[in-house]
Amino acid sequence: MKLSVIIVSYKVPYFLEQTLLSAQRAAQRVPTELIVVDNNSQDGTEELVQTRFPDVKLHVNRQNTGFAKANNQGLAWATGQYILFLNPDTAVQEDTFERVVAFLEAHPKAGGVGVHMIDGTGAF
């Protein structure tokens, strides 16, 4: 696996759905696994991921373990050469994963990458 995308979710099913839709499109260009760690949302998130995104690796905590611990749980389950921590209210462009992986492979000494982020109005 080239890229593991870890998304920690807590009571944001609408945003998570949009994030997963955009991530699935971006994942068509790079071998990618999508991992969702849900922090006991109890709002239909578990069912949403299971039914709409059956290829997503879902791990449901039965208590809210917090953002950092949930990210570490996702990291422990990841099998990718590269790891991307993605917030559940984020949409990525179709070429985002491809461009990030290409950059990392062209710069093997790089330890991390930050991407250009814009808000819903297109402002940096």
Side-chain angles (χ1 to χ4, degrees), residues 17-114:
E17 181 178 24
Q18 301 310 306
T19 298
L20 288 172
L21 288 169
S22 72
Q24 281 183 327
R25 286 190 295 274
Q28 292 177 9
R29 297 172 175 237
V30 176
T32 303
E33 67 180 348
L34 300 175
I35 300 169
V36 171
V37 181
D38 184 70
N39 260 336
N40 196 34
S41 293
Q42 297 183 4
D43 61 358
T45 295
E46 183 176 359
E47 296 80 12
L48 168 76
V49 175
Q50 289 173 337
T51 58
R52 295 274 330 265
F53 305 96
D55 293 336
V56 170
K57 294 180 178 180
L58 174 65
H59 302 280
V60 179
N61 289 323
R62 295 300 169 203
Q63 64 182 8
N64 186 340
T65 62
F67 185 70
K69 185 171 183 176
N71 271 305
N72 284 328
Q73 288 173 318
L75 183 60
W77 296 313
T79 63
Q81 178 180 353
Y82 301 109
I83 305 296
L84 170 63
F85 294 103
L86 189 62
N87 284 351
D89 62 349
T90 306
V92 295
Q93 294 180 321
E94 290 182 15
D95 65 346
T96 298
F97 298 168
E98 179 180 36
R99 292 177 67 186
V100 168
V101 168
F103 177 88
L104 288 167
E105 291 189 342
H107 300 86
K109 291 185 178 183
V113 176

